[in-house]
Structure formats: C-alpha cells, structure tokens
Amino acid sequence: MFVFYKWAVKSFQRNLAYRLEYFVSLFNALLYIFIFTSIWQALMPENGARFGMTRQLMINYAVFVTLIKTTLVKSRDMIGTRVRTGEISLDLIKPISLPVMTLADAVGTVIFQIFSRFLPLIIICSLMFDLTIPPGIDIYFFISYLFSFLIFHAILFTFGVASFYIVENFPLWLLNTSCVSLLSGSIIPLEVLPDIVKKIALWTPYPYIFYLPTMKLLKNEYPVDHAILRQLFFVIISYAIGLTLFHFGKRKLQVQGG
Amino acid sequence: MSSNEVLIEVKELCKEFKILKKKPGLGGALMSLFSRDYQTIEAIKDISFKINQGEIVGYVGPNGAGKSTTIKILCGILYPTSGLIEVAGFVPSVDRKQFAMTLGVMFGQRTQLWWDLPVSESFDLLKSIYKVDNARYKKNLDFFNDIFDIKEFWGQPVRRLSLGQRVRADLAAALIHDPNVLLLDEPTIGLDVLARSRFRELIKMVNAEKKTTILLTSHDIDDIELIVDRLILIDKGTVKYDGTLKKFLKNYGGQKKLLVNYSNKPKIGKIPDGASVQSLKGNILEIKVDTAIISYHDLIKVIPDWGKVIDIQLESDSLETILSELYKK
C-alpha cells in the first residue's frame, strides 16, 4: 500500500514538471467548454426543453462533463507506448504488478488534475456562466465518480495491454477514443442520441464514465435504475477482461531488441 | 570472487517467436489483409549453462544471436518456450515478483529512472519498491556516492543528466537493494572512453565489495576483456563456447605472429614447418606462427640465421579479431 502511495505521489510530481503543458491544457479545457456551451446555446430553445433538458441544464452539462473529463482523461497510452519502445521491460523487472503500477500512476495523475485543473477551471467557469452549486453533490456522487475513474482506468489498461498481442494497438486506441466520444456522454448527453443507440450504449461501460456522474450531479438523480450497481458491475467486468488479457498477454509479449 | 554455489542455472532453454511473413510489394501487402502466413523463429535453440555466485560472466555473440532474449528470460520478462531456468532459487517467469527483489538489471539504452523527476525521487521510490530499510539505504547511498559520485547530480532531473551521469545513476539504481544477481545488457553503449573505463572499474568494485554475480552482454570487446573472467559465446541461439576468457584466447587465438626487426634486410633461408612469412617491410619480418606445430622457442633459434636481430615482438590476435572471425563463420 505504501508503494502504491509513493508511486501515486511521484506521478503527481511528474505532472507538475512542465509548466507550459499545464497552462496549455488548462487553456485547452476552457476552449472545449466555450465550444460546447456555444453549440448548446445555439441549438437549444431559449424557453422550454429539448431532449428532455432545458438550455441552462444543457450548458451546465457541457461545463460539468468537461470538468469531470479534465480530471479523468489521459491522452497517452502508457502501456502501448512502452511496449513499442521496449521500456515495458523496465516495468516488468520491478517487484510490483503492472496493473497496480498503472493504477497508482493514474491515481496520482487524477489527484493532480483535480487540484491543478478542476479547481481553477470551476472558478473561471463560475465567473463565465450562470452556474449554481449542483444539487447532486453527495456521497453517492463521489462513489459514482470513483467507479467512473476505475472503469476508465480498466478500459485504458485493457486497450494498452492489447499491445502485448498486436504491438501496434493505435487503431484500437482510436476506436476507444471514438467510443468515448460517442457513448460516454463526454461530448453529447445520451438523451440526444437515437433511442436504439442509447439502449446499446447502456450495455457498454462508456456511459458510466462521464454521463452517469454528470447527470447525478446536475439532476440529483440517476438516469438509469440501479446506477451504482451497474457501475460496479462494469468496474468488475472491465478489470476482469483487462487482467485476463494481461495474464495471457505476458506469454505473448515481444520486446524490442529481444 | 566466485564461490561454488550455483546461482544461475539454464538448462536446454528454447525461445520461439511467431512472426508474420511479409509478402513482397503492394499486392502482397493487400493480400496480407485477408490471408496471413506466420513463421516460427527460434531465437534460442538449446542453451545450457551454470553461473556460480560471485562470477562475472561475459555473454557475447553477434546481433540476433539471442543475447538480449536470454537476458529478458532470465529477468522473467519473457517466457521460455521450453527448458528450465533457475536464478537465485526462483523460476523467473513464475515467481516474478519475489524474484525481482533479488535481481538488478540495467539496460544501457533505457533508464528505469523517472525522466522528469530529480534522481533522488527515483531512488526514494525504488527504496519503497524494494523495501530497503533506512539504514541499508543510507549505507548503500554512501557506498554509491563514494564510487559513482551520484550526489553530484542528486537533485537534477534525469532528463538533464549527461549520458555518463545517467548510466552511473542507473547502475546505482539497479544495485540499491543489494541484488544477488546483476544483469547488464549493453551497459556502456554510447559512453565515451573515460566513462567506459570508469564504468568497468565500478563493476569490478561492486563485484569485489558485494560479491554480486554479474552477467554482462556487450558489443564493446574491451568491456569483456577488462571485466569478465568467463565467457559464454552464443550464435544462432546456441552456445558455441563456455569457459574462461584465458582458455578462449588460447584455443581460438590461432593467429600468432612474430615481428622481427633486423639490422639489415634479412636473407630468409629455410622456413620451418608451422611458420610462414607474412610480410617483409624494410628490415621488419612478420612471421605467422602455428604454435601447435612449432614452438616460439624453436622458431627463435632459427631466426638469427637470417640476419642480425635487433628486436623481437610477439603478437597474438585480439579478442575482437577472434570474435569477428568466429562471427563470420
């Protein structure tokens, strides 16, 4: 446990190393919020509702989903990159398992992003938009957020470990990015999608990453029944798939230079 | 430095890789989208050796011989296709985590230090990972500081270190937990002459002080000549030689030469069996000697008959020449 904590702390420190990267990513998140809120401003009627949501609710959705996304999203495929460069050797010689290592790394990154990105962004957004304290901030939201993080980490781990089998996992990584964009609610809430797509989406882990916690935050109710249990189910399933792939993938691993 | 306790045992080790057979041309590339042929490559065919505790062994061979594959199997990173491996009482691929506590590894082209953080931070993390207690950590840091001067760049981010500094820090990092076994894969690659020489001293010092068993792969022949006592030569996945470096030089160093400097141009008479004139440049005669047929002693008796001798030099092939000849075969 202490090693996990230490690893997470180092990950936090590493994220602090580059000032320019930090400010650019902050600016980038602001741009995203600006783009999405502008789009919803134009699309949503001033009065009444569309897709079961008011204009203000949709703008709030755009702001909060981007804020949550800012804390969770990692743009780099750590495992895939390390398999391609052969650096995975250095991870596998350590007396710590790769899944635990990547989880500790992700925890450090998320904590860094909460403090360094989420907090300044929410202050800026509260000045720019007519934001009120969301009604859904309670223990269930934080449990939901924790499960979102775990599902997301498990998915990224699984797609990363795919590189043990096929080395060049970039197409799969792109596929995952597209699924996140379409099905997770990170760009548009599931209400906007056709019913059939929404039904299919709910059978995948993606809506439980961003859509579910954001809706809970904004409406103080979950958009589906047994939401937390469903999230827990996908946490277990996603890790089961990732860890199984990892277990068998170790035998298939080929490392550059041997 | 070695004892008789076997620390590394490799028996009939084989490793196969399945790789995609590329079809030539654009048509072939398009065809491979629908039908794929694979071929099995034997990176290691049948390798067996034992290494005793405290030995320094050079593991050499041409590119693609299977050196790095063996090292990665010994680390537990790759799984062998067949064969047995036991290192410090562990089967690396099975008991990977426990085994890793007894193992130090350094890949010359890669670093296990955190690139963006100061060196001290990586060591702090390694201390926790390898569960090194405070007293041992301090003792080891003092030792490494004495021989590696790591305090000189202790607070600098790894990305700012020179290659020589980075290699020293990586070597110290590989040894921070007092491993029984140290595997070095091309550790001096890219280092300048001074840094290489320093590195070799450090390795010998670590072996002498800590009795660490060391397996070294390197294409730098000086590393092998100056560090190791024993040589394992592999080629095409099989062991071609396993024995002392001295014996290797004796057995394979076939090209022995005598350089004889005469006061005037020599008048070469009958040349004894086992000797042949390679060249005569001015007054210097170069004679190739097969010591299995004629001894230096007998040859030197004949040489003064051809003229007044000023100086005689004995020369034998360097390890580099011997290895490059063997690699060509």
Side-chain angles (χ1 to χ4, degrees):
Chain A
M1 202 58 203
F2 186 63
V3 177
F4 187 93
Y5 161 76
K6 275 271 176 135
W7 196 290
V9 169
K10 300 299 169 201
S11 166
F12 185 96
Q13 285 175 274
R14 185 195 53 214
N15 280 291
L16 273 174
Y18 298 101
R19 263 193 314 181
L20 181 67
E21 187 197 11
Y22 166 68
F23 286 114
V24 169
S25 68
L26 206 62
F27 182 65
N28 195 32
L30 267 179
L31 271 184
Y32 264 97
I33 291 171
F34 181 74
I35 292 165
F36 290 135
T37 51
S38 303
I39 290 170
W40 292 123
Q41 196 100 34
L43 288 179
M44 296 296 284
E46 201 173 339
N47 300 309
R50 185 181 279 176
F51 312 119
M53 295 169 89
T54 62
R55 180 196 267 188
Q56 189 55 47
L57 187 62
M58 197 60 106
I59 288 171
N60 286 358
Y61 181 91
V63 173
F64 281 103
V65 83
T66 309
L67 289 176
I68 291 175
K69 201 167 77 173
T70 308
T71 65
L72 293 186
V73 163
K74 277 200 307 178
S75 56
R76 65 198 180 97
D77 169 20
M78 183 178 130
I79 298 176
T81 309
R82 292 179 80 78
V83 168
R84 277 190 296 280
T85 59
E87 285 173 331
I88 195 77
S89 303
L90 298 160
D91 301 325
L92 296 175
I93 57 168
K94 292 192 174 74
I96 174 171
S97 78
L98 188 70
V100 172
M101 207 188 286
T102 58
L103 184 62
D105 201 89
V107 166
T109 302
V110 166
I111 293 172
F112 167 79
Q113 290 180 157
I114 288 172
F115 283 105
S116 68
R117 293 184 185 158
F118 178 82
L119 291 178
L121 279 172
I122 200 155
I123 293 167
I124 297 168
C125 288
S126 62
L127 298 174
M128 284 171 64
F129 307 100
D130 185 21
L131 294 183
T132 53
I133 295 172
I137 295 186
D138 55 20
I139 185 74
Y140 295 105
F141 165 74
F142 289 108
I143 293 171
S144 215
Y145 177 77
L146 174 68
F147 285 165
S148 299
F149 161 70
L150 291 174
I151 293 170
F152 199 43
H153 172 259
I155 290 175
L156 296 186
F157 178 76
T158 305
F159 279 92
V161 162
S163 61
F164 281 34
Y165 296 81
I166 53 169
V167 182
E168 187 48 85
N169 67 336
F170 186 65
L172 288 178
W173 193 260
L174 274 184
L175 175 70
N176 180 52
T177 308
S178 304
C179 288
V180 170
S181 303
L182 178 69
L183 306 174
S184 74
S186 69
I187 295 175
I188 45 172
L190 259 60
E191 279 74 3
V192 179
L193 297 175
D195 268 357
I196 181 73
V197 179
K198 187 180 172 183
K199 274 181 187 160
I200 293 168
L202 287 170
W203 284 98
T204 73
Y206 293 103
Y208 304 94
I209 304 172
F210 298 121
Y211 171 70
L212 199 91
T214 310
M215 291 308 272
K216 158 73 182 122
L217 195 64
L218 295 176
K219 286 187 160 179
N220 198 18
E221 61 183 43
Y222 288 107
V224 288
D225 297 333
H226 313 298
I228 297 262
L229 278 178
R230 283 182 191 228
Q231 274 193 308
L232 181 61
F233 169 77
F234 278 110
V235 170
I236 294 166
I237 288 291
S238 308
Y239 273 114
I241 294 170
L243 294 174
T244 308
L245 277 178
F246 174 61
H247 179 74
F248 291 105
K250 282 188 288 184
R251 291 187 167 273
K252 293 190 170 285
L253 181 65
Q254 294 185 20
V255 183
Q256 183 204 33
Chain B
M1 291 310 134
S2 70
S3 73
N4 288 328
E5 191 193 332
V6 174
L7 204 70
I8 302 177
E9 183 168 7
V10 175
K11 207 172 168 189
E12 294 162 12
L13 178 69
C14 294
K15 176 68 185 174
E16 293 175 350
F17 291 111
K18 206 171 116 184
I19 60 161
L20 181 68
K21 238 178 170 175
K22 294 268 182 195
K23 291 171 184 163
L26 180 63
L30 289 171
M31 276 295 287
S32 68
L33 286 174
F34 304 101
S35 94
R36 319 197 110 194
D37 289 335
Y38 291 91
Q39 70 180 101
T40 303
I41 302 252
E42 280 184 304
I44 296 174
K45 282 177 192 161
D46 178 15
I47 284 183
S48 301
F49 58 81
K50 287 178 184 175
I51 297 176
N52 291 338
Q53 187 169 15
E55 272 194 285
I56 309 184
V57 178
Y59 197 64
V60 297
N63 286 330
K67 301 184 299 294
S68 291
T69 304
T70 313
I71 293 278
K72 286 181 182 104
I73 294 173
L74 285 172
C75 296
I77 298 167
L78 299 181
Y79 283 63
T81 307
S82 65
L84 297 172
I85 294 189
E86 207 175 289
V87 186
F90 295 101
V91 177
S93 55
V94 178
D95 318 305
R96 197 189 65 79
K97 275 202 264 177
Q98 297 98 303
F99 166 62
M101 298 296 275
T102 69
L103 176 76
V105 187
M106 186 186 158
F107 298 104
Q109 297 183 71
R110 301 184 178 114
T111 179
Q112 65 162 318
L113 306 169
W114 285 49
W115 193 246
D116 308 307
L117 297 182
V119 175
S120 56
E121 297 292 346
S122 292
F123 276 75
D124 180 44
L125 183 62
L126 291 170
K127 175 180 178 278
S128 304
I129 290 175
Y130 289 102
K131 299 181 172 52
V132 183
D133 63 58
N134 288 337
R136 189 154 63 110
Y137 181 67
K138 189 181 175 309
K139 193 179 149 211
N140 282 351
L141 273 190
D142 288 343
F143 173 73
F144 297 136
N145 193 37
D146 283 346
I147 61 172
F148 298 163
D149 284 339
I150 50 174
K151 290 284 179 198
E152 176 198 329
F153 45 82
W154 190 239
Q156 282 182 40
V158 174
R159 63 190 145 87
R160 295 251 174 97
L161 301 185
S162 70
L163 185 60
Q165 289 173 328
R166 207 268 290 152
V167 166
R168 273 165 16 201
D170 254 310
L171 184 58
L175 291 163
I176 193 72
H177 55 296
D178 292 322
N180 292 337
V181 181
L182 177 64
L183 303 177
L184 302 170
D185 192 1
E186 302 282 355
T188 56
I189 201 159
L191 292 183
D192 66 30
V193 183
L194 271 177
R196 278 207 300 267
S197 156
R198 180 94 195 277
F199 182 84
R200 289 169 197 140
E201 282 169 28
L202 300 179
I203 291 292
K204 293 193 109 170
M205 223 181 280
V206 166
N207 174 257
E209 289 281 324
K210 297 185 176 276
K211 313 283 176 276
T212 312
T213 306
I214 298 171
L215 183 68
L216 163 78
T217 78
S218 181
H219 285 295
D220 186 329
I221 299 305
D222 287 345
D223 286 348
I224 304 296
E225 271 192 302
L226 300 172
I227 298 176
V228 312
D229 313 312
R230 179 178 152 200
L231 191 71
I232 299 176
L233 171 68
I234 64 161
D235 191 15
K236 298 188 179 84
T238 56
V239 174
K240 299 289 181 196
Y241 175 82
D242 181 0
T244 62
L245 182 62
K246 214 171 162 185
K247 200 170 150 197
F248 179 79
L249 291 168
K250 195 178 164 199
N251 289 357
Y252 293 90
Q255 291 278 332
K256 294 186 176 86
K257 283 181 218 161
L258 269 185
L259 289 175
V260 189
N261 190 2
Y262 290 92
S263 60
N264 296 304
K265 195 171 179 182
K267 288 174 185 160
I268 301 165
K270 187 176 181 293
I271 299 165
D273 288 346
S276 59
V277 173
Q278 285 287 97
S279 67
L280 175 63
K281 287 175 191 160
N283 299 339
I284 298 173
L285 180 67
E286 190 182 324
I287 306 169
K288 190 178 154 192
V289 188
D290 185 347
T291 49
I293 299 172
I294 183 167
S295 67
Y296 283 126
H297 181 261
D298 290 341
L299 186 61
I300 286 168
K301 278 186 198 165
V302 181
I303 285 167
D305 298 344
W306 304 337
K308 191 181 172 191
V309 177
I310 296 172
D311 182 34
I312 297 178
Q313 280 180 41
L314 297 180
E315 274 191 1
S316 54
D317 283 347
S318 66
L319 181 60
E320 185 162 6
T321 316
I322 301 166
L323 286 175
S324 60
E325 285 303 316
L326 282 173
Y327 291 172
K328 277 181 206 162
K329 287 173 191 170

